[in-house]
């Protein structure tokens, strides 16, 4: 729809167009009609040319009127702008009114009847008035949108969003994509009117303090633009739009806003269905695409430790996935594995365009550097730096180098306590055939050794007990508890429940002497016990030694084995299917899987949590009252007794005796509602049998921990599982559960990491960056009783170290031993940022529609006038049209006027 920068000129042109009409009418009435008998003989000849003369006069009149109207429109400087449906109707009405004015004027001129002429000119005046009102309405809307300020070059508020995500480091002969984006942004800044205020916002932040305030001069804005550097983060358009909206609100005194996003417009930058209303909420939005002409990239898309944890006795398996995007194959691509900065292994591979290739490194970590040790004595984890790097020969075929490495913090553990409980415990005697149900799992995690030194270097330290020997002291540092083949849980259920609620993992397996009836009665407790799901007393199948009739074994249903416990990296689906079809199962415990029972469990859990929180709320109020009485010296013996009872009750409902428990994870659970916690505890079936799809492995979250039930045995004649290679599933399962007990050390760039820390005037905390530079970190209050460090400026790939420096000059910088997990961290950019495919205008239109923005390519100019303005040079075309109309009028008037020939009269 056409709008005008100076609409008053358009209105003046429309009014002035009445002038030629009035002049024409006055010329018609300038001569008095006199009857002359001698001229009668000419009437017949004149009648033949009258129509041509009237047509000529009408055409000249129309050209003159159009020339005046269009000349006024040219002075008004029209432009094209997206409009609403109501504005479109106003524009159409205005155009119809102008056409009606011209048409009725022509009708009045051509008619010879005075009454018709009067009506025509009256209608002409009415249409002209309506057209003037329409133009005025369009002018007012343009002013309301802040467009009219441009005529006088009044200042505007510009918000520049510069994409500095990792993909903007893509290199070409013209520099990086970020260099090109800065050039375009600088041109836009230079073109802004004097007095404009400018926000320069890096889309992905920086490792410096973010400045969101608007700059009041162009030199400061250009300096801020030059400071923007590529960081190893992924860009998100919704965050960019929120940033822009917040920046627009900062400068209310400048109503005219210009928001510009300069980016490579990666497909992952925009959501699959971008919210068009979110774009429309911005006052004026221009999107510029600066994309690579040809994609050539090699990157590490994934790097992981296969089993999650490593030990010093067995080689650690590192898996690195390398991808190549380009048009040519690459040869002799080097893949290197480094541990603590030392290169330990290397491979040479060839890559085809579009290929993804997994590389395996097996490396013993028996001589690692002690960087970030956790714990002491025989129960410890040492954290080491691992890095995999890809290098292309000659650098040809890889124009984005920032994604050529990925980093890990690897826990190397030794002597982690794991409690195994079975029917024999420490009285097990293989010579007499008294072998406990957990035997093969114990040998899997901790093979028998001949020396104490080798024993101390093993992944776990086994505590083999019977169920009656479990105590709080035994479990206080245990990383995992496995119970199998035990007839009854006895009195251990409350203790084990507290262990799981604090974050421990418990595996209960059937087999051997397992009595489903006893366990269902004592360990379920309507969901308040330790079992993840309710058991039935009827077994499935029968043991071979007591089978009556034909023995009918059943198998694992491979279709149900989709959890990470069962999926081995690098193995095909067919090989995994063959692996898990090998074990034969003869007997299992049936469980209740009706949806109504599970829903009732979730509802009961929500009620239980609500009641517990009510107890804590009353307890908090009572404690505050007792503390006040204590300060006043009015605390009686009765109050002391009540307080002691309250403390015991709190310890029962909220135990805190597990030494390695993650207090932050427990605090985050308190932030969830009872319904959310209850839904989180809904049982999940992780694996099934082929027999009636009955559950093989079930999981349920209880508090911060997890409880598992395996419905068959681990060693006895219930199955052949642990005597086949399928026992690997337990190695993966147990190692992953052990990994979960260690503090998290690997993050994505952009994550906000919170680490517990003690507050002390004697300590200064610092974050050591990958380039060895140091940034101070302040200890913050995380809650009323918790303090910690927030790390949110880890914007580049690499290893980071959190260290504390004592203010005592006699002390040396060291990692604080009282801060668990606060030493070594690794950050990596999400791998999708290396996918360099971009959106073009049509693809973006499919996601976001066509309204609320203007799409620009790299060779176009960012409009100072705004995104909704197109056709700023239309006035030149209109001036040209005026000249054409005037020349046409001159040609018509200069055309030979052929007079009619009069036949001579005979005397």
């Amino acid at each position: 729809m056409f709008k005008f920068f100076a609409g008053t000129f358009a209105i003046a042109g429309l009014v002035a167009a009445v002038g030629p009409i009035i002049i024409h009418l006055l010329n018609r009435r300038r001569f008095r009609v006199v009857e002359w008998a001698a001229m009668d003989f000419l009437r017949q000849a004149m009648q033949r040319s009258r129509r041509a003369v009237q047509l000529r006069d009408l055409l000249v009149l129309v050209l003159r009127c159009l020339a005046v109207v269009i000349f006024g429109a040219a002075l008004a400087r029209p432009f094209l702008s997206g409009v609403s449906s109501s504005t479109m109707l106003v524009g159409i009405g205005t155009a119809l009114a102008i056409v009606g004015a011209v048409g009725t004027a022509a009708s009045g001129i051509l008619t010879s009847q005075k009454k018709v002429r009067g009506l025509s000119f009256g209608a002409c005046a009415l249409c002209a008035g309506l057209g003037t009102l329409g133009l005025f309405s369009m002018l007012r809307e343009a002013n309301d949108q802040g467009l009219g300020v441009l005529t006088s070059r009044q200042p505007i508020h510009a918000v520049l969003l510069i994409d500095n995500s990792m993909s903007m480091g893509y290199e070409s002969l013209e520099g990086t994509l970020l260099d090109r984006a800065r050039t375009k942004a600088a041109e836009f800044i230079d073109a802004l009117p004097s007095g404009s205020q400018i926000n320069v916002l890096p889309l992905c932040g920086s490792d410096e303090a973010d400045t969101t305030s608007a700059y009041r001069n162009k030199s400061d804005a250009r300096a801020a633009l030059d400071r923007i550097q590529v960081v190893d983060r992924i860009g998100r358009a919704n965050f960019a739009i929120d940033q822009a909206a917040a920046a627009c609100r900062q400068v209310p005194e400048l109503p005219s806003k210009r928001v510009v996003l300069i980016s490579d417009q990666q497909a992952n930058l925009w959501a699959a269905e971008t919210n068009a209303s979110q774009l429309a909420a911005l006052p004026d939005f221009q999107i510029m695409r600066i994309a690579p002409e040809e994609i050539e990239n090699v990157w590490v898309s994934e790097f992981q430790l296969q089993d999650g944890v490593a030990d010093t006795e067995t080689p650690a398996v590192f898996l690195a996935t390398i991808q190549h995007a380009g048009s040519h194959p690459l040869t002799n691509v080097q893949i290197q594995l480094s541990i603590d900065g030392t290169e330990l292994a290397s491979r040479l591979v060839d890559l085809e365009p579009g290929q993804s290739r997994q590389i395996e490194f097996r490396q013993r970590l028996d001589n690692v550097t002690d960087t970030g040790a956790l714990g002491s004595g025989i129960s410890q984890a040492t954290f080491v730096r691992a890095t995999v790097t890809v290098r292309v020969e000659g650098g040809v075929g890889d124009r984005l180098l920032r994604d050529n490495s990925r980093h890990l913090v690897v826990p190397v553990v030794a002597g982690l306590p794991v409690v195994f409980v079975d029917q024999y415990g420490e009285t097990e005697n293989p010579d007499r055939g008294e072998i406990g149900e957990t035997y093969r799992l114990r040998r899997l995690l901790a093979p028998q050794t001949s020396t104490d030194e080798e024993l101390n270097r093993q992944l776990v330290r086994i505590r083999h007990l019977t169920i009656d020997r479990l105590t709080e002291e035994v479990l206080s540092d245990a990383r995992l508890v496995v119970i199998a083949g035990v007839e009854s849980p006895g009195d251990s259920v409350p203790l084990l429940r507290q262990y799981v609620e604090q974050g421990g993992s418990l595996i209960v397996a059937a087999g051997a002497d397992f009595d489903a009836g006893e366990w269902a009665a004592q360990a379920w407790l309507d969901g308040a016990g330790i079992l993840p799901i309710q058991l039935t007393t009827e077994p499935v199948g029968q043991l071979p030694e007591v089978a009556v009739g034909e023995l009918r074994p059943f198998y694992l249903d491979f279709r149900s084995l989709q959890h990470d416990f069962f999926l081995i990296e690098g193995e095909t689906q067919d090989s995994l299917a063959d692996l898990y079809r090998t074990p034969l199962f003869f007997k299992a415990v049936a469980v209740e899987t009706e949806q109504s029972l599970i829903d009732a469990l979730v509802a009961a859990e929500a009620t239980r949590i609500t009641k517990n929180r009510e107890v804590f709320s009353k307890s908090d109020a009572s404690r505050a009252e007792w503390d006040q009485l204590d300060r006043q010296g009015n605390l009686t013996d009765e109050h002391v007794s009540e307080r002691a009872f309250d403390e015991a009750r709190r310890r029962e409902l909220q135990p805190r005796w597990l030494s390695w428990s993650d207090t932050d994870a427990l605090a985050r659970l308190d932030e969830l509602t009872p319904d959310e916690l209850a839904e989180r505890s809904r049982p999940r079936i992780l694996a099934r049998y082929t027999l009636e799809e009955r559950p093989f492995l079930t999981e349920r979250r209880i508090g911060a921990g997890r409880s598992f039930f395996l419905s068959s045995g681990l060693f006895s004649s219930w199955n052949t599982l642990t005597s086949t290679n399928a026992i690997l599933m337990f190695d993966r399962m147990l190692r992953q559960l052990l990994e979960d007990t260690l503090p998290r050390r690997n993050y994505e760039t952009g994550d906000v990491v919170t680490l517990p820390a003690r507050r002390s005037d004697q300590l200064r905390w610092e974050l050591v960056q990958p380039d060895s530079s140091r940034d101070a970190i302040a200890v913050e209050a995380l809650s009323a009783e918790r303090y910690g460090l927030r790390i949110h400026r880890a914007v580049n790939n690499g290893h980071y170290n959190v260290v504390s420096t004592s203010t005592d000059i006699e002390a040396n910088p060291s990692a604080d031993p009282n801060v668990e997990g606060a030493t070594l961290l690794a950050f990596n950019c999400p791998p999708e940022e290396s996918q360099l495919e971009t959106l073009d205008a049509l693809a973006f239109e499919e996601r976001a529609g066509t309204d609320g923005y203007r799409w620009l390519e790299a060779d176009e100019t960012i409009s100072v006038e705004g995104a909704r303005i197109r056709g700023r040079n239309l006035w030149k075309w209109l001036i040209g049209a005026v000249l054409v109309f005037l020349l046409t009028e001159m040609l018509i008037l200069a055309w030979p006027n052929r007079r009619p020939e009069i036949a001579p009269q005979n005397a």
Side-chain angles (χ1 to χ4, degrees):
M1 177 60 66
F2 286 106
K3 295 181 182 178
F4 304 94
F5 288 115
T8 52
F9 284 104
I11 297 174
L14 184 61
V15 174
V18 181
I21 299 175
I22 296 175
I23 293 172
H24 181 82
L25 295 176
L26 291 176
N27 284 337
R28 290 186 59 179
R29 299 183 59 85
R30 190 170 57 181
F31 302 101
R32 188 172 55 147
V33 178
V34 179
E35 296 293 338
W36 183 24
M39 294 296 294
D40 289 342
F41 71 93
L42 294 175
R43 289 180 178 175
Q44 183 178 359
M46 293 295 295
Q47 189 69 31
R48 291 197 301 266
S49 63
R50 183 174 182 177
R51 293 292 180 185
V53 172
Q54 287 181 334
L55 182 60
R56 183 201 66 180
D57 292 344
L58 177 60
L59 184 57
V60 170
L61 177 62
V62 171
L63 288 174
R64 288 172 178 171
C65 291
L66 287 176
V68 174
V69 171
I70 293 176
F71 184 72
L75 293 178
R77 294 184 60 199
F79 61 89
L80 294 172
S81 175
V83 295
S84 61
S85 58
S86 60
T87 307
M88 180 67 73
L89 291 176
V90 171
I92 294 173
T94 302
L96 292 176
I98 295 174
V99 172
V102 175
T104 52
S107 175
I109 293 171
L110 291 175
T111 185
S112 59
Q113 299 180 19
K114 293 183 178 180
K115 184 176 181 180
V116 175
R117 185 182 299 123
L119 292 174
S120 297
F121 288 139
C124 177
L126 178 61
C127 290
L130 292 176
T132 302
L133 289 176
L135 288 173
F136 179 77
S137 175
M138 295 166 65
L139 172 64
R140 183 177 61 182
E141 181 181 352
N143 286 330
D144 290 342
Q145 292 178 352
L147 301 174
V149 300
L150 298 176
T151 58
S152 58
R153 301 293 291 170
Q154 293 183 9
I156 65 175
H157 178 208
V159 178
L160 275 171
L161 293 162
I162 308 299
D163 185 359
N164 63 328
S165 61
M166 184 175 69
S167 61
M168 293 295 286
Y170 189 89
E171 297 177 350
S172 66
L173 295 178
E174 301 174 0
T176 65
L177 296 182
L178 180 61
D179 293 334
R180 295 167 58 188
R182 279 197 291 248
T183 300
K184 284 293 183 180
E187 293 175 357
F188 175 69
I189 291 174
D190 292 338
L192 292 173
S194 298
S196 296
Q197 296 191 39
I198 311 161
N199 282 94
V200 180
L201 304 175
L203 179 60
C204 298
S206 68
D207 55 1
E208 300 178 358
D210 296 332
T211 301
T212 58
S213 301
Y215 298 102
R216 295 184 175 272
N217 59 72
K218 296 180 182 180
S219 59
D220 288 345
R222 284 192 294 267
L225 188 63
D226 293 337
R227 288 195 298 270
I228 297 178
Q229 300 295 326
V230 175
V231 297
D232 299 326
R233 282 186 176 181
I234 189 170
R236 297 298 184 193
N238 57 348
F239 177 69
I241 294 172
D242 292 341
Q243 271 189 305
C248 288
R249 292 190 292 268
Q250 290 180 3
V251 188
E253 63 271 20
L254 293 179
S256 183
K257 309 287 184 181
R258 302 291 178 264
V259 180
V260 181
L261 170 62
I262 307 178
S263 169
D264 56 0
Q265 309 304 337
Q266 276 182 283
N268 61 49
L269 174 68
W270 300 93
E273 295 182 358
T274 300
N275 191 345
S277 61
Q278 195 178 16
L279 294 179
L282 294 178
D284 190 290
F285 193 27
Q286 299 179 73
I287 303 172
M288 172 168 278
R289 183 178 78 136
I290 298 181
E293 297 179 358
E294 183 182 6
I295 297 176
E296 293 182 347
N297 191 28
V298 178
W299 71 99
V300 183
S301 62
E302 189 175 8
F303 181 43
Q304 61 177 333
L305 182 65
Q306 186 178 59
D307 296 321
V309 294
D311 60 71
T312 57
E313 288 298 297
T314 57
V317 180
F318 294 92
L319 299 175
T321 303
I322 313 300
Q323 291 187 249
H324 169 41
S327 56
H328 304 287
L330 300 177
T331 59
N332 294 328
V333 178
Q334 186 178 31
I335 319 297
Q336 296 177 337
L337 173 68
S338 300
I339 302 296
D340 285 337
T342 302
E343 181 184 336
L344 297 182
S346 179
R347 302 278 192 279
L348 288 178
V349 299
D350 297 336
L351 296 174
E352 295 294 328
Q355 183 181 9
S356 176
R357 183 166 179 175
Q358 188 177 79
I359 309 299
E360 179 180 301
F361 293 97
R362 291 181 176 270
Q363 184 64 45
R364 291 179 65 93
L365 303 177
D366 54 355
N367 189 25
V368 297
T369 305
D370 186 12
T371 53
L374 171 65
S376 58
I378 62 172
S379 175
Q380 63 180 353
T382 299
F383 294 92
V384 299
R385 301 175 176 90
T387 300
V388 66
T389 304
V390 56
R391 290 187 174 90
V392 179
E393 187 177 17
V396 179
D398 186 16
R399 297 191 184 184
L400 181 61
L401 303 181
R402 301 185 69 94
D403 57 4
N404 286 19
S405 298
R406 292 189 77 82
H407 311 269
L408 277 179
V409 172
V410 179
V412 183
V413 299
L416 295 180
V418 176
V419 175
F420 287 90
V421 178
D422 56 32
Q423 72 273 32
Y424 292 113
E426 60 271 36
T427 64
E428 180 181 68
N429 190 333
D431 294 336
R432 294 199 302 265
E434 297 174 351
I435 302 176
E437 192 71 9
T438 63
Y439 178 80
R440 287 203 172 104
L441 261 62
R442 284 181 276 125
R443 293 296 174 264
L444 182 67
L445 286 183
Q448 286 184 328
T449 57
S450 57
T451 65
D452 291 339
E453 180 181 357
E454 291 177 344
L455 182 64
N456 290 337
R457 290 163 57 91
Q458 287 183 345
L459 173 66
V460 302
R461 175 167 287 270
I462 302 298
R463 293 175 183 167
H464 188 200
L465 307 170
T466 53
I467 194 76
D468 59 307
R469 297 289 301 276
L470 288 179
T471 63
E472 184 177 306
E473 181 180 0
V474 169
L475 298 179
S476 62
D477 62 347
R479 302 285 175 154
L480 177 65
V481 176
V482 180
I483 302 175
V486 176
E487 180 180 4
S488 168
D491 299 330
S492 65
V493 173
L495 181 66
L496 290 171
R497 173 81 184 198
Q498 291 183 1
Y499 172 78
V500 177
E501 286 179 340
Q502 294 175 83
S505 291
L506 170 67
I507 300 175
V508 177
D513 300 336
F514 188 88
D515 188 327
E518 289 290 326
W519 278 87
Q522 300 180 40
W524 174 240
L525 303 179
D526 294 328
I530 57 175
L531 289 175
I533 199 166
Q534 186 174 355
L535 310 183
T536 67
T537 57
E538 294 296 328
V540 177
Q542 52 186 342
L543 298 178
E545 58 267 27
V546 297
V548 178
E550 182 181 359
L551 185 65
R552 296 182 178 179
F554 46 96
Y555 307 87
L556 291 175
D557 183 359
F558 178 69
R559 296 172 302 174
S560 68
L561 306 181
Q562 300 305 311
H563 194 274
D564 287 345
F565 293 160
F566 310 104
L567 301 179
I568 302 175
E569 295 82 356
E571 297 293 335
T572 66
Q573 291 291 303
D574 290 340
S575 62
L576 289 176
D578 292 339
L579 174 68
Y580 292 125
R581 288 193 188 105
T582 304
L584 304 178
F585 291 84
F586 305 107
K587 183 179 179 181
V589 174
V591 301
E592 296 286 359
T593 59
E594 291 186 17
Q595 190 62 42
S596 59
L597 295 177
I598 294 177
D599 292 340
L601 167 65
V602 173
E605 184 69 9
T607 302
R608 186 188 66 81
I609 295 171
T610 301
K611 290 181 178 179
N612 286 348
R613 289 190 172 180
E614 291 175 354
V615 170
F616 275 101
S617 179
K618 294 178 180 179
S619 172
D620 291 338
S622 299
R623 293 175 69 172
E625 180 182 352
W626 294 326
D627 290 342
Q628 183 177 2
L629 291 174
D630 194 11
R631 287 192 297 270
Q632 296 172 352
N634 298 326
L635 195 66
T636 65
D637 292 341
E638 183 179 357
H639 292 146
V640 172
S641 177
E642 290 176 354
R643 186 159 64 175
F645 177 80
D646 178 76
E647 291 292 338
R649 179 63 173 161
R650 290 178 72 95
R651 285 194 299 271
E652 178 184 353
L653 295 178
Q654 196 176 62
R656 291 292 185 268
W657 48 261
L658 190 60
S659 62
W660 53 266
S661 173
D662 187 346
T663 56
D664 284 336
L666 295 172
R668 287 192 294 270
L669 290 180
D670 291 337
E671 297 173 358
L672 300 178
T673 66
D675 289 338
E676 290 172 337
L677 280 172
E679 188 60 36
R680 181 178 176 272
S681 71
R682 182 182 292 272
R684 291 194 308 153
I685 298 174
L686 305 184
R688 295 178 182 270
Y689 299 112
T690 55
L691 180 64
E692 300 177 354
E693 296 187 347
R694 292 182 178 272
F696 165 67
L697 182 64
T698 308
E699 175 206 19
R700 182 186 173 203
R701 293 186 178 274
I702 301 175
R706 302 158 75 181
S707 172
F708 298 86
F709 178 68
L710 195 148
S711 60
S712 192
L714 298 177
F715 179 75
S716 58
S717 58
W718 286 49
N719 58 65
T720 64
L721 176 60
T722 56
S723 61
T724 68
N725 289 334
I727 195 176
L728 286 174
M729 75 170 67
F730 292 112
D731 184 71
R732 291 179 57 82
M733 180 180 181
L734 299 180
R735 284 177 179 267
Q736 287 187 31
L737 294 177
L738 287 174
E739 181 189 11
D740 291 344
T741 68
L742 302 174
R744 181 183 174 187
R745 298 298 182 94
N746 297 293
Y747 298 90
E748 290 185 348
T749 52
D751 288 346
V752 177
V753 180
T754 302
L755 302 174
R758 61 187 176 91
R759 195 170 189 175
S760 172
D761 294 335
Q762 305 299 320
L763 291 175
R764 181 176 70 251
W765 292 95
E766 293 179 309
L767 177 67
V768 182
Q769 304 271 354
D771 60 0
S772 299
S773 62
R774 292 181 174 234
D775 294 332
I777 318 174
V779 177
E780 303 177 22
L782 304 179
S783 66
E785 299 178 354
R786 295 189 307 126
Y787 294 92
L789 308 170
R790 293 188 190 274
I791 300 173
H792 54 84
R793 296 198 184 281
V795 297
N796 293 314
N797 294 337
H799 293 102
Y800 293 73
N801 206 356
V802 178
V803 298
S804 61
T805 305
S806 175
T807 57
D808 186 352
I809 59 175
E810 297 180 357
N812 294 319
S814 62
D816 183 7
N818 295 320
V819 180
E820 183 173 349
T823 302
L824 189 60
L825 306 172
F827 288 86
N828 293 283
C829 184
E832 55 265 30
E833 180 64 14
S834 298
Q835 301 285 347
L836 301 180
E837 290 76 13
T838 63
L839 298 177
D840 57 17
L842 292 178
F844 184 79
E845 184 177 316
E846 292 178 358
R847 298 191 179 196
T850 58
D851 297 330
Y853 68 93
R854 181 186 179 190
W855 184 274
L856 299 170
E857 294 295 338
D859 56 351
E860 297 183 76
T861 301
I862 302 172
S863 172
V864 176
E865 287 83 359
R868 294 178 173 86
I869 298 176
R870 294 180 176 88
R872 299 188 304 274
N873 294 324
L874 280 175
W875 67 272
K876 298 178 181 180
W877 292 93
L878 295 180
I879 291 295
V882 171
L883 295 176
V884 170
F885 290 156
L886 293 178
L887 289 173
T888 304
E889 178 193 359
M890 294 172 63
L891 290 175
I892 291 174
L893 293 176
W895 192 262
N897 187 12
R898 298 184 59 189
R899 297 181 181 275
E901 297 182 359
I902 302 174
Q905 299 290 328
N906 294 326

